[in-house]
Amino acid sequence: MLKIFVQTPGTPAPETHVFNFTSPTVARAEADAIKDALSKAIQQAKAGGVVPAAPGGSASSAAMAIASAVSSGPQAGASQDGIYDDAKLQSDADLQQSLLKANLQLSKTFMESLRTKPDSITNTQFTSQFWSSRIHLLRAHAIEKNQSRGSYNVLASIKPETKDNALRLSISKEQIQLIFNQHAIVRRAYDENVPKMNESEFWVKFFQSRLFKKLKGERITETDPTNPVLDKYLQVDDEAERAKRLMGTHVPHIIDIEGNEENHSQRKGNQPDFTMRPASSDRVPIIRTLNTLSEKLLSQVAPNDIDPSLPIGVDEETYNSLALQDLRDENADDRIILNIKD
């Protein structure tokens, strides 16, 4: 179902039009096509484009008229990239100054061209002509400025340095926040022990503790120093934490492999062969740690190849192909009744 509000000039309230798509296979595709066409038409109208009116002035066909106008293609030279539009890039003085500061060779070319320009050309005309042939540089610089660094394995990047014949470790507020986001157990230890102990003292003890080695995936040995404050967090059940994360993740039952884990026959009979048993985290800590951390980092990245309007889990076509026909309700016969008179 797609609901559209149309308000013509001079009317006090908008009119509502509801479109129902009844195709059993391509209903969502048809709705998405109309929605995309309307979105492009609205953007074109806001940018100053002209959208043809509906034939005969009928409000009910306005949506289809907009869709047909957009499907014919945008105007020549028009760009719908928002902040990356050619006209906006060419008129953005702050962006141009930022690019000149970042690119010394381009700045040198600009100043040399400005010094040797004819007197008949004003500074405004010169600037417009100069940047008109360098739109691609402005667009690349704008994209670079709008990018932000993603999350990374912060514990692996923190390394001590030798200074004044002593090991010193520096950590920033950004790194502390990343540690809290990636390792909830560190946040819990921090909240339960600070300000009972000084914050600097907490971080000194943390980077010398067995908990730090466990979170990095390193093997804990008997020679490692113990810490009664932080060692108690070593016993946190990793499987419970993993189950808690899975509970917050929507997994369709039709593809949930662990859905019948409680009915696994091998739990009630003979134990599986040792090659089929999961290895202990104490034996391969680095693999478990890196896999868990990679899962956390990827969960914070928004996928760019999935339409957010699609159903969660699997798409309709895949679901229909996996659904068991025997569990579906029988479709009522849609027959045309013929009334015959003798």
Side-chain angles (χ1 to χ4, degrees), residues 55-89:
S58 175
S60 61
S61 59
M64 298 307 298
I66 294 175
S68 62
V70 173
S71 61
S72 62
Q75 295 179 352
S79 174
Q80 301 296 336
D81 293 337
I83 61 175
Y84 306 130
D85 179 74
D86 290 359
K88 291 185 178 180
L89 292 173

Side-chain angles (χ1 to χ4, degrees), residues 22 26 79 270 297:
T22 58
V26 294
S79 174
N270 296 331
L297 296 180

Side-chain angles (χ1 to χ4, degrees), residues 62-340:
M64 298 307 298
I66 294 175
S68 62
V70 173
S71 61
S72 62
Q75 295 179 352
S79 174
Q80 301 296 336
D81 293 337
I83 61 175
Y84 306 130
D85 179 74
D86 290 359
K88 291 185 178 180
L89 292 173
Q90 196 169 350
S91 61
D92 193 341
D94 294 336
L95 180 64
Q96 296 168 7
Q97 292 296 326
S98 176
L99 177 57
L100 291 177
K101 293 179 181 179
N103 192 331
L104 298 180
Q105 184 62 33
L106 182 63
S107 177
K108 182 179 179 181
T109 303
F110 178 84
M111 297 305 297
E112 182 66 21
S113 301
L114 181 63
R115 185 179 61 84
T116 59
K117 74 174 181 65
D119 296 337
S120 58
I121 299 179
T122 63
N123 291 340
T124 304
Q125 293 174 342
F126 166 78
T127 303
S128 177
Q129 294 176 6
F130 181 85
W131 291 114
S132 63
S133 60
R134 295 170 175 83
I135 292 295
H136 62 288
L137 297 178
L138 290 172
R139 182 174 290 108
H141 187 63
I143 293 174
E144 181 182 357
K145 290 185 63 177
N146 288 329
Q147 288 179 338
S148 58
R149 183 177 182 180
S151 185
Y152 60 95
N153 188 355
V154 61
L155 291 181
S157 64
I158 300 176
K159 298 180 181 179
E161 299 178 355
T162 304
K163 190 174 182 180
D164 298 333
N165 295 327
L167 287 177
R168 298 184 181 274
L169 193 67
S170 61
I171 183 173
S172 63
K173 293 183 178 179
E174 177 188 3
Q175 291 175 323
I176 293 176
Q177 190 61 43
L178 283 176
I179 292 175
F180 288 158
N181 294 338
Q182 295 176 9
H183 305 284
I185 189 63
V186 181
R187 162 70 78 174
R188 175 181 168 186
Y190 180 88
D191 292 340
E192 293 179 357
N193 296 282
V194 178
K196 294 180 182 179
M197 69 171 65
N198 186 271
E199 183 176 3
S200 301
E201 181 184 0
F202 170 83
W203 290 113
V204 170
K205 291 184 177 181
F206 169 74
F207 287 113
Q208 295 176 348
S209 66
R210 296 186 175 189
L211 178 61
F212 175 66
K213 294 192 66 175
K214 177 184 177 182
L215 296 179
K216 285 189 66 176
E218 299 178 359
R219 188 184 301 275
I220 299 176
T221 62
E222 296 295 333
T223 58
D224 292 329
T226 59
N227 188 304
V229 177
L230 297 177
D231 285 354
K232 62 182 180 180
Y233 299 101
L234 292 171
Q235 308 302 324
V236 174
D237 190 357
D238 294 335
E239 292 297 326
E241 290 293 328
R242 180 174 178 271
K244 184 178 180 180
R245 293 197 310 271
L246 290 178
M247 288 296 293
T249 305
H250 177 80
V251 179
H253 294 298
I254 199 169
I255 60 174
D256 186 6
I257 300 177
E258 297 182 350
N260 294 325
E261 188 70 17
E262 67 275 8
N263 298 324
H264 204 288
S265 60
Q266 291 180 340
R267 291 182 178 271
K268 302 178 180 180
N270 296 331
Q271 193 176 25
D273 185 75
F274 76 95
T275 58
M276 301 300 294
R277 303 173 197 169
S280 172
S281 59
D282 296 334
R283 298 180 58 186
V284 283
I286 185 64
I287 298 177
R288 290 286 184 90
T289 301
L290 292 181
N291 286 343
T292 303
L293 182 58
S294 299
E295 182 182 352
K296 292 179 181 179
L297 296 180
L298 290 177
S299 64
Q300 300 175 7
V301 179
N304 57 1
D305 57 346
I306 298 178
D307 188 352
S309 64
L310 292 178
I312 300 176
V314 296
D315 55 85
E316 293 180 0
E317 183 178 357
T318 305
Y319 176 81
N320 292 331
S321 64
L322 296 176
L324 299 177
Q325 298 292 335
D326 295 341
L327 299 181
R328 294 185 177 182
D329 297 333
E330 294 184 0
N331 296 328
D333 294 337
D334 188 10
R335 300 180 180 181
I336 301 177
I337 300 177
L338 300 179
N339 297 321
I340 302 176

